[in-house]
Amino acid sequence: MQGIEHKVEGKRFRAQSQNLAPKTVRVMLHFTFMDKFTTASAYYFVFLRKGGTKVSHHITKAEIAMAGMGGQGVLTIGHLVANAALSVFENVSWFPTYETWQRGGKVYCCIILSDEEILSPMISRPEVLFVLDEPSLDDYEDSLVEGGLLVYDTTLIEREIKRKDIRVLSMPSAELAQGLGSIQVGNLILLGAYLADSKVLPMDIVESALEEMLKKGNKEGFLPLNKKALRLGFERFSGNGTES
Amino acid sequence: MGKKILLSGNEAIGYGAIYAECTHYFGYPITPQNEVIEFFAREFPKIGRSFLQADSEVSSINLVAGAAAAGVRAMTTTSSTAFSLMQEGLSAMAAMEVPCVVVDVQRGGPGAGSTQHAQMDYFIATRGSHGDYFNIVLAPFSVQETFEVIQLAFHLADKYRHPVIVLTDGILGQMEESVDLKTVEFEPLPEKDWAATGSAERGLKRNFVHNSPGILGFMTGDTYRSNMERCYDRYNKIKASEVLYQTKDLDDAEIILVSYGSTARVTARAQSEARAEGLKVGMIRPITLWPFPRDLIREYAEKVKGFIVVEDTMGQMVEDVKCAVAEKTEVHLVGFLDRHLPTSTGMILPDTVLSRVKALV
């Protein structure tokens, strides 16, 4: 690694003066999005693969946006996906926006999972869009790319989807969550459905990330309910990608 | 290579400080940098370092000045409206020639503005407050780079005995990315033989750090003028040797995008998409905002059709670009008014930048 780093640094960083100490330049080794780094990042990934730390998988990139209101767990499932993806993808970003409200308010996050460098963590046109309430559907329906996937809850969203050029994955997740004992796990039911449909992340990795997250927040008691919700969504769509 | 972990930009500031062997943190809470002060409150006592929540930002910066004068690596973090409160202290520290690191996780202004992201502190960070001095200003554009730039900031601060500002923003602070934590190595620094550490080790010879060099010339032999000349030489040295930036696809570029910090991420994507569509677009990303990569921009001013500056303000860095371009080509701004709704305060998105590029082509 060391050799490669030194080889590239001079080209990537053109200091105005020759006085720039080489070691100071070394700080910038991670700045990978620019020109001359293509070769270096390729080596970098080879190195990782040889190290065997990454799980082999086929999907190399996913750009997901999630929207809803504060309290629905939009940021939480986004964060869960990002955490789980750490052991699968080379790069992960999770970008949240929320309003200064304790509950309610518009909440939105973008998650990018990629084996290549992530240029912008903010997305103009996501490939996958989770929508958990109707105002968010109004706000973001148009942003989805053509042929993109809309994942939404039919309990809280009653209106028809305007877009005809997208794929839809929908279920009454809030109602199903109530059936499990808590409306708060509706977000995980939708996530389970998406995981089954997209196969972007293996279920066991998401489950262990979920366990870790709940442990960190001292909420281990909720693990059985959360897992049940995730699996409910997953099993409903684990056939050929359409609801049975 | 360690396993990558998911960190927010604000936490990365804390990790950077730990890796840089910063021992003293003073701060006061303000959104959107609260995770930083929480990090230090939680982590610093565990490893025997000092955390103190001050009673205001005025106190924070003066506590930093005191600690730094005693020779330790000290820092504070804050956000825009409270960064203003620190200006007197920063100017004093420039006069005292004591090193420190101040991180400004920018939010909207003026005044209390908004608690959301913005890049409106470019002027105050690069121009500073009263008196003839220049902060060294570093602007990372990712969580990884935030972690590394904090280490660089401490190095430069000690190297030049001067405050260094790290300028991030609400987006960079709140978002999380996979990060590889490792210490950045720099060339060795001279011992801080000027630090006011008491007389115990030096017999009766005490060091004296004060904020009116020259005026108290009987202590040092300096006059006000000779002291200012010495400082000026140092600023010229910094300008000559510490400019940092990144470039992409400049060789055949007809349009060059200039952007720093979080908007540089958006701009990088727009640039990459523009190239994919066959448009000859390059990009310059200043990493040091002072010293600014003026010579580089000037070099390309005669070769390109125009520059587009992308920054989340009504126009601040664009002034530095215009100054470098010296009217040899057009300079346009994609700024605050190009924020895309519907998020609560809106933000500049890749498609917005791309459409402006196409309009100019």
Side-chain angles (χ1 to χ4, degrees):
Chain A
M1 286 301 283
Q2 220 61 320
I4 297 160
E5 288 171 350
H6 280 288
K7 209 167 64 190
V8 219
E9 67 186 24
K11 290 183 189 164
R12 285 174 36 241
F13 276 87
R14 299 176 48 208
Q16 279 187 324
S17 152
Q18 298 302 315
N19 296 338
L20 192 66
K23 285 203 168 165
T24 315
V25 180
R26 271 193 57 196
V27 74
M28 306 304 164
L29 290 174
H30 281 285
F31 309 165
T32 53
F33 88 93
M34 290 292 178
D35 248 3
K36 318 289 184 194
F37 205 77
T38 335
T39 6
S41 51
Y43 282 117
Y44 178 76
F45 295 146
V46 169
F47 179 85
L48 266 180
R49 296 229 183 276
K50 275 188 186 160
T53 52
K54 301 282 161 177
V55 179
S56 68
H57 61 100
H58 302 294
I59 297 163
T60 54
K61 191 169 190 191
E63 295 189 340
I64 308 161
M66 298 177 175
M69 63 179 141
Q72 286 187 303
V74 170
L75 300 184
T76 312
I77 53 168
H79 203 225
L80 172 62
V81 169
N83 269 296
L86 268 183
S87 56
V88 180
F89 290 84
E90 303 293 353
N91 296 299
V92 175
S93 75
W94 172 75
F95 164 70
T97 76
Y98 48 88
E99 292 172 322
T100 320
W101 295 20
Q102 271 195 330
R103 279 182 199 80
K106 285 177 184 175
V107 172
Y108 178 80
C109 68
C110 300
I111 308 109
I112 305 183
L113 321 175
S114 177
D115 282 350
E116 283 174 20
E117 187 166 8
I118 297 168
L119 294 179
S120 174
M122 288 79 81
I123 321 173
S124 293
R125 310 202 68 202
E127 293 158 359
V128 180
L129 175 66
F130 280 63
V131 169
L132 275 73
D133 72 339
E134 211 161 295
S136 302
L137 182 66
D138 296 341
D139 283 349
Y140 294 104
E141 185 175 354
D142 291 340
S143 72
L144 197 57
V145 294
E146 284 171 33
L149 176 69
L150 177 68
V151 185
Y152 78 102
D153 168 28
T154 51
T155 322
L156 294 175
I157 300 170
E158 292 176 333
R159 83 157 165 85
E160 212 177 303
I161 306 299
K162 283 183 275 178
R163 296 277 297 269
K164 302 295 172 208
D165 58 347
I166 55 170
R167 219 157 59 79
V168 168
L169 198 66
S170 67
M171 60 205 296
S173 55
E175 196 184 313
L176 290 167
Q178 259 174 333
L180 290 178
S182 167
I183 194 167
Q184 283 179 301
V185 294
N187 57 348
L188 284 163
I189 298 180
L190 286 178
L191 178 61
Y194 167 64
L195 293 175
D197 180 81
S198 66
K199 299 177 182 63
V200 70
L201 290 168
M203 189 62 166
D204 55 331
I205 286 179
V206 178
E207 280 186 337
S208 57
L210 178 65
E211 198 173 329
E212 222 170 278
M213 267 176 76
L214 288 171
K215 257 187 200 166
K216 253 190 194 169
N218 290 324
K219 291 176 184 168
E220 262 177 299
F222 293 105
L223 185 62
L225 172 67
N226 279 263
K227 269 191 175 175
K228 215 194 264 181
L230 194 62
R231 284 196 182 149
L232 176 80
F234 187 83
E235 276 153 22
R236 216 167 147 130
F237 287 92
S238 56
N240 53 6
T242 47
E243 193 176 358
S244 50
Chain B
M1 176 171 303
K3 185 181 177 290
K4 282 193 175 184
I5 56 171
L6 200 62
L7 278 188
S8 73
N10 280 341
E11 290 168 316
I13 294 169
Y15 275 100
I18 287 179
Y19 276 63
E21 287 172 10
C22 164
T23 56
H24 289 68
Y25 174 91
F26 309 97
Y28 188 81
I30 180 170
T31 306
Q33 65 85 55
N34 286 321
E35 294 81 5
V36 187
I37 185 166
E38 280 170 15
F39 179 93
F40 283 103
R42 191 174 65 237
E43 302 298 331
F44 254 32
K46 283 187 204 164
I47 51 174
R49 302 187 191 179
S50 298
F51 164 84
L52 183 71
Q53 180 176 324
D55 58 308
S56 77
E57 288 84 355
V58 176
S59 299
S60 301
I61 194 71
N62 285 300
L63 285 158
V64 168
V72 301
R73 280 194 161 177
M75 75 180 292
T76 184
T77 62
T78 190
S79 183
S80 306
T81 171
F83 185 56
S84 296
L85 294 175
M86 297 186 173
Q87 295 312 309
E88 184 195 20
L90 278 167
S91 181
M93 287 174 85
M96 288 158 76
E97 294 181 71
V98 292
C100 76
V101 173
V102 177
V103 186
D104 178 4
V105 184
Q106 298 171 90
R107 63 188 249 176
S114 89
T115 56
Q116 311 268 337
H117 60 94
Q119 294 180 319
M120 300 172 180
D121 298 352
Y122 180 90
F123 278 157
I124 194 173
T126 56
R127 270 57 171 176
S129 65
H130 73 278
D132 238 355
Y133 75 98
F134 300 93
N135 298 315
I136 298 172
V137 185
L138 303 171
F141 84 139
S142 69
V143 177
Q144 179 75 48
E145 198 176 277
T146 304
F147 168 70
E148 291 168 1
V149 151
I150 294 289
Q151 299 179 61
L152 175 63
F154 276 105
H155 175 77
L156 292 177
D158 281 350
K159 187 174 172 185
Y160 294 104
R161 284 181 62 183
H162 202 280
V164 175
I165 312 296
V166 177
L167 205 56
T168 77
D169 61 58
I171 290 176
L172 272 176
Q174 302 284 326
M175 75 182 198
E176 298 191 8
E177 289 188 294
S178 40
V179 175
D180 186 10
L181 295 177
K182 59 179 175 190
T183 310
V184 183
E185 286 176 29
F186 302 100
E187 75 266 24
L189 290 162
E191 210 187 318
K192 293 182 179 178
D193 55 3
W194 49 266
T197 51
S199 60
E201 285 161 21
R202 284 187 295 267
L204 285 173
K205 187 183 171 294
R206 285 199 177 103
N207 278 342
F208 179 47
V209 178
H210 60 96
N211 69 353
S212 44
I215 293 170
L216 291 173
F218 60 90
M219 301 294 299
T220 56
D222 269 354
T223 63
Y224 176 67
R225 184 186 165 108
S226 70
N227 181 68
M228 288 299 279
E229 282 171 351
R230 191 173 49 76
C231 290
Y232 198 70
D233 284 347
R234 177 182 53 190
Y235 291 128
N236 281 338
K237 197 175 152 205
I238 297 172
K239 279 200 257 187
S241 52
E242 302 298 347
V243 176
L244 279 177
Y245 52 82
Q246 268 191 317
T247 62
K248 194 182 181 192
D249 296 335
L250 292 187
D251 294 346
D252 62 340
E254 290 173 356
I255 291 169
I256 294 177
L257 300 167
V258 186
S259 188
Y260 77 96
S262 65
T263 51
R265 299 293 291 273
V266 170
T267 308
R269 177 152 179 162
Q271 190 273 340
S272 154
E273 285 173 5
R275 278 278 163 182
E277 292 185 26
L279 305 174
K280 289 182 177 168
V281 179
M283 179 170 167
I284 294 172
R285 176 173 74 90
I287 296 166
T288 51
L289 301 182
W290 193 91
F292 191 71
R294 189 167 294 179
D295 294 351
L296 174 80
I297 290 172
R298 185 157 293 166
E299 182 190 330
Y300 283 92
E302 285 182 348
K303 299 178 189 166
V304 299
K305 259 193 211 167
F307 284 86
I308 300 177
V309 177
V310 185
E311 56 170 339
D312 202 353
T313 72
M314 300 279 195
Q316 297 193 11
M317 184 171 74
V318 70
E319 297 296 330
D320 276 347
V321 175
K322 278 181 184 165
C323 177
V325 164
E327 298 192 349
K328 284 180 184 139
T329 185
E330 300 168 34
V331 180
H332 300 268
L333 172 71
V334 176
F336 180 87
L337 297 177
D338 297 286
R339 280 187 180 195
H340 189 272
L341 294 170
T343 51
S344 59
T345 55
M347 63 182 61
I348 300 167
L349 290 172
D351 280 7
T352 320
V353 181
L354 187 60
S355 65
R356 291 288 296 271
V357 168
K358 285 179 181 167
L360 190 61
V361 170

